[in-house]
Structures are given as C-alpha cells and as structure tokens.
Amino acid sequence: MSGLTTAFVLIPCISASAVAVVLFDWRLAAAAACGALAFLFLAPQLPEILRIYGSSVMSGVAIGALALVAVLLWRPSTSTWSRMSAALVATFIVTYGHLISLGVT
C-alpha cells in the first residue's frame, strides 16, 4: 500500500465509518457535512501536514455524511452497521475513483 493510498483512500474511509457510528439523524449528518466542507475551504491556509491529513479526514467525513443524509432520509431507522457500510462504500468509491482518474493506482 503506497502512501497515496493511505492518505487519500484509507484515512477517509476510516473517518467516514467513524462518523457513521455517531450520526443517527439526517439533520446531524447534514451539519457534519457542512462543517467538514467548511474545514476543506480553510485547508489552503493550514500547515502542510495538517492540510494533507486533516483534509483527508474531513473529506471522508464530508463524503460519508453526505451519503448518510441520503440513507437516513430514505430509511431513518437503519442500524449502525448499515450506516457504516453506506458511508464506507460511498467514500471508497469516490476516493479510489479519484485516484484512478488521476492515473495513480
């Protein structure tokens, strides 16, 4: 596993799964997504190490929370594992697809 895969696929997937454990309402998921997107807009002013790993964590939170908004609106009584699976799959598809589109595999 290369450093790019760790920084841009594994860390966002872990953070998306972690956020799916605590979010149980679509309004909380929307608030978490907005907060994570706000942090991503601040990323260019942050120090380099915080920009790389912090933006990876926050991108996972944003993608996972946006996936949870759709899942929780569709079915509000989902289990923790269902929420974690939905957030993990959505985050993996987006982040790994982004690396493939850049030509990094």
Side-chain angles (χ1 to χ4, degrees), residues 64-83:
L66 288 173
L68 285 174
V69 168
V71 167
L72 290 170
L73 276 172
W74 177 52
R75 194 163 174 205
S77 63
T78 56
S79 68
T80 303
W81 288 105
S82 299
R83 294 191 313 259

Side-chain angles (χ1 to χ4, degrees), residues 6-99:
T6 301
F8 296 112
V9 176
L10 187 62
I11 292 174
C13 286
I14 291 170
S15 63
S17 295
V19 80
V21 170
V22 297
L23 297 179
F24 54 87
D25 188 37
W26 69 269
R27 292 173 287 256
L28 292 173
C34 290
L37 290 172
F39 181 84
L40 289 175
F41 281 115
L42 295 175
Q45 287 82 21
L46 296 175
E48 184 175 354
I49 192 73
L50 189 60
R51 182 179 22 179
I52 291 171
Y53 291 108
S55 62
S56 294
V57 168
M58 287 300 140
S59 66
V61 169
I63 297 167
L66 288 173
L68 285 174
V69 168
V71 167
L72 290 170
L73 276 172
W74 177 52
R75 194 163 174 205
S77 63
T78 56
S79 68
T80 303
W81 288 105
S82 299
R83 294 191 313 259
M84 288 174 62
S85 298
L88 180 66
V89 168
T91 305
F92 181 78
I93 289 171
V94 170
T95 55
Y96 195 70
H98 182 251
L99 283 182

